[in-house]
Amino acid sequence: MIFRDASVSLPVAIVLVIATLLVLLGLLLFPVNLGAIPFSPDGQLGLLMVIMAIQMMALGDTPVGRYTRSWLTVLIGAVFAALGVVACIVPGVLTDLLRVLLGLLNIVGGGVLLAGRFLPVLRGGGDLPAGPIPPALKKLLVTQTVLNLVAIAFGVSMLVPGLVSGMVIAGVVVVNGLLLFALAGILRGI
């Protein structure tokens, strides 16, 4: 049974990998904030950059939306992967740069995706379905909206260190991962 073909599409599989990494990262941040285990901010930033690189190179998912996978997205993904690897291996060299870059990308990405989803509807030009919204689509929209809000909150916490306690950031990362698990389930159902 475990050797059967897994009927999981590549986008859903990548969402599952990222969800697993984020939940594990968030759970590890709890004992880090209690001083029970050492912490490598460079390792965290490097991991987040590599996650972003995988999304861009494999799917064309960028912080500001999904695009056709092109050589440009692959090249930018390779640069992000390189920055992530360097941050993981050589501590202290890219810490501030990556913190600001990840903060801005999360804020801009979450904002752009929220604006793209809600501004057309607010202006009256959006496509509103005739009749009730199917439950799966409603769950998808709610999950994506919460993910965008969590991304903005995480971005702000990256740009203003100390604004939010480390325990809250750990919780946000875990919630982000759990929301991605939910998103994968919704996408698989659709």
Side-chain angles (χ1 to χ4, degrees):
M1 184 172 161
I2 62 172
F3 296 108
R4 265 192 331 209
D5 183 43
S7 60
V8 177
S9 67
L10 178 62
V12 171
I14 289 178
V15 168
L16 289 172
V17 168
I18 294 168
T20 303
L21 290 172
L22 289 178
V23 168
L24 183 57
L25 172 63
L27 291 175
L28 286 171
L29 286 175
F30 286 110
V32 162
N33 285 297
L34 295 172
I37 59 175
F39 176 60
S40 168
D42 298 291
Q44 175 192 8
L45 297 172
L47 173 64
L48 294 173
M49 290 299 288
V50 169
I51 288 171
M52 201 174 295
I54 291 168
Q55 288 176 295
M56 290 177 75
M57 295 175 82
L59 302 173
D61 281 348
T62 72
V64 293
R66 179 174 275 184
Y67 297 95
T68 302
R69 228 170 29 114
S70 65
W71 283 111
L72 179 62
T73 58
V74 170
L75 178 63
I76 294 170
V79 169
F80 279 20
L83 289 170
V85 169
V86 169
C88 288
I89 303 297
V90 187
V93 174
L94 299 174
T95 308
D96 291 332
L97 170 72
L98 293 186
R99 187 177 45 76
V100 170
L101 179 63
L102 282 167
L104 289 174
L105 287 172
N106 274 280
I107 291 169
V108 170
V112 165
L113 294 172
L114 279 174
R117 188 173 305 117
F118 292 109
L119 278 180
V121 173
L122 292 174
R123 290 186 180 153
D127 295 330
L128 294 173
I133 299 174
L137 183 57
K138 189 182 288 187
K139 283 182 187 177
L140 179 64
L141 292 172
V142 169
T143 304
Q144 287 176 325
T145 300
V146 174
L147 276 167
N148 297 144
L149 293 172
V150 167
I152 292 170
F154 182 73
V156 170
S157 75
M158 295 293 280
L159 289 179
V160 187
L163 177 69
V164 181
S165 78
M167 293 298 245
V168 172
I169 292 172
V172 166
V173 173
V174 169
V175 166
N176 197 354
L178 294 174
L179 285 168
L180 287 173
F181 277 122
L183 180 65
I186 293 166
L187 291 174
R188 194 152 186 262
I190 292 176

